[in-house]
Amino acid sequence: MLIRIGYDIIFNIAAPTPMALLLYTHPSLANNLRQPEQLQVSPDTPTHEFLDNFGNRCVRLVAPPGPLRLYNDALIEDSGEPDAVYWDAVQHPVEDLPDETLPFLLASRYCEVDRLSDIAWNLFGQSEPGWPRVQAISDWVHQHVAYGYQHANPLKTAFDVYETGGGVCRDFQHLAVTLCRCMNIPARYVAGYLGDIRIEPTPTPMDFHAWFEAYLGGRWHTFDARHNTPRVGRVLMARGRDAVDVALTTSFGSAQLHQFIVRAEEIVEADASVRLEEAGAVARSEEIGLTR
């Protein structure tokens, strides 16, 4: 199946402001793109690309004063299959874990392993190790945390979520990631696209989404404490220890968000060639204006 992904984001910039952006799909999905991804910046601004320490594709720029538009529109191929479930995936003893998984056992900015360790062992110490234990954690977070933008707070940590019982998608994942780490299961935070594909549309505006991955049975597996059910059409953008490592836009100065539009929608094959022709026409046209 094909998914149209993209965004149209506008910031109002007060003065020349350095920015770091994680607004591309993850490099591991390069072969799935049906057209090259291209971050379009208006006004035209020099950019520099690099891979961060987690293998995410990043862009740096210095935004000029005034409106800054960040735009992307792409087609990506997806299997159309829901998230895989492996109930027999085992939990590894810490001494047998690969070296590269160890950072995902430790505390990080939003994941206070030390503060939640006793709580985690009291809640899940009797659960079956492996996939059933991670699923039990995801179930518990899903059932005990209320979702809502009224609970959003960029300073909220996993312990705060545990205490207040409310949050947005990133808060669900921070708490689940922390509880997994407390139980000696490597867990990492993931950001990407997840549209309302093959489900009833939700009434809230489309946004980027967060989920998490746990290391079991020799590989990383997808879990989502917010939705807590296998979903179709996840498009990976970035991975890290928590939201600090995968912030999609970071400004080192004043940058006021003016417009935020995200899209992730399934399209039929018959429309794909039309989308590709439109994308080519846009690429050959004059610079994109600052208004829709």
Side-chain angles (χ1 to χ4, degrees):
M1 68 180 246
L2 293 177
I3 303 174
R4 182 191 181 200
I5 56 173
Y7 47 81
D8 193 347
I9 303 171
I10 296 176
F11 288 98
N12 289 325
I13 308 297
T17 302
M19 299 183 73
L21 312 173
L22 275 72
L23 287 172
Y24 280 116
T25 55
H26 195 267
S28 61
L29 299 183
N31 291 335
N32 297 76
L33 290 167
R34 294 285 289 267
Q35 68 191 62
E37 234 186 334
Q38 182 59 53
L39 169 62
Q40 300 180 59
V41 182
S42 181
D44 190 27
T45 303
T47 61
H48 165 67
E49 290 192 22
F50 66 100
L51 293 181
D52 68 12
N53 292 336
F54 299 97
N56 304 314
R57 187 180 177 190
C58 307
V59 175
R60 294 177 63 180
L61 57 82
V62 178
L68 178 79
R69 187 187 190 201
L70 307 172
Y71 179 87
N72 200 350
D73 184 66
L75 286 175
I76 191 164
E77 190 168 356
D78 183 81
S79 69
E81 297 296 322
D83 304 322
V85 176
Y86 297 93
W87 279 101
D88 58 351
V90 299
Q91 178 174 339
H92 300 278
V94 172
E95 61 270 25
D96 293 340
L97 288 168
D99 297 341
E100 61 271 18
T101 67
L102 296 183
F104 301 102
L105 285 177
L106 306 178
S108 56
R109 167 67 179 84
Y110 289 106
C111 300
E112 311 107 313
V113 173
D114 51 347
R115 299 190 72 184
L116 282 163
S117 184
D118 288 344
I119 294 169
W121 280 97
N122 287 333
L123 288 171
F124 308 109
Q126 301 304 312
S127 62
E128 182 182 349
W131 189 284
R133 176 166 286 170
V134 179
Q135 188 58 60
I137 290 171
S138 186
D139 290 344
W140 189 91
V141 174
H142 179 76
Q143 294 163 7
H144 287 80
V145 180
Y147 178 82
Y149 282 103
Q150 70 272 23
H151 304 299
N153 182 338
L155 302 180
K156 184 178 288 187
T157 68
F159 188 78
D160 295 331
V161 180
Y162 172 78
E163 283 201 315
T164 64
V168 292
C169 63
R170 76 178 223 157
D171 301 314
F172 282 73
Q173 315 314 333
H174 280 152
L175 181 54
V177 162
T178 306
L179 294 172
C180 285
R181 293 178 187 174
C182 291
M183 305 303 296
N184 296 328
I185 301 170
R188 61 190 185 187
Y189 183 94
V190 183
Y193 296 92
L194 182 62
D196 295 337
I197 297 175
R198 302 183 187 176
I199 65 168
E200 288 295 323
T202 57
T204 55
M206 176 67 193
D207 197 347
F208 293 112
H209 186 56
W211 57 94
F212 76 99
E213 294 176 343
Y215 190 85
L216 301 166
R219 53 166 290 193
W220 293 96
H221 298 273
T222 295
F223 292 86
D224 186 341
R226 160 71 178 97
H227 295 297
N228 202 36
T229 188
R231 289 283 296 270
V232 173
R234 294 185 196 273
V235 180
L236 170 66
M237 296 176 73
R239 299 185 178 107
R241 292 166 299 180
D242 58 30
V244 169
D245 295 328
V246 302
L248 298 181
T249 65
T250 301
S251 59
F252 300 90
S254 177
Q256 183 179 7
L257 184 63
H258 175 71
Q259 174 177 286
F260 186 81
I261 298 172
V262 180
R263 53 186 167 269
E265 56 190 10
E266 182 180 6
I267 66 169
V268 297
E269 289 281 349
D271 293 336
S273 59
V274 175
R275 294 292 190 192
L276 290 170
E277 290 174 3
E278 289 177 348
V282 169
R284 293 188 298 271
S285 67
E286 296 180 349
E287 181 182 13
I288 295 175
L290 289 174
T291 57
R292 287 180 62 82

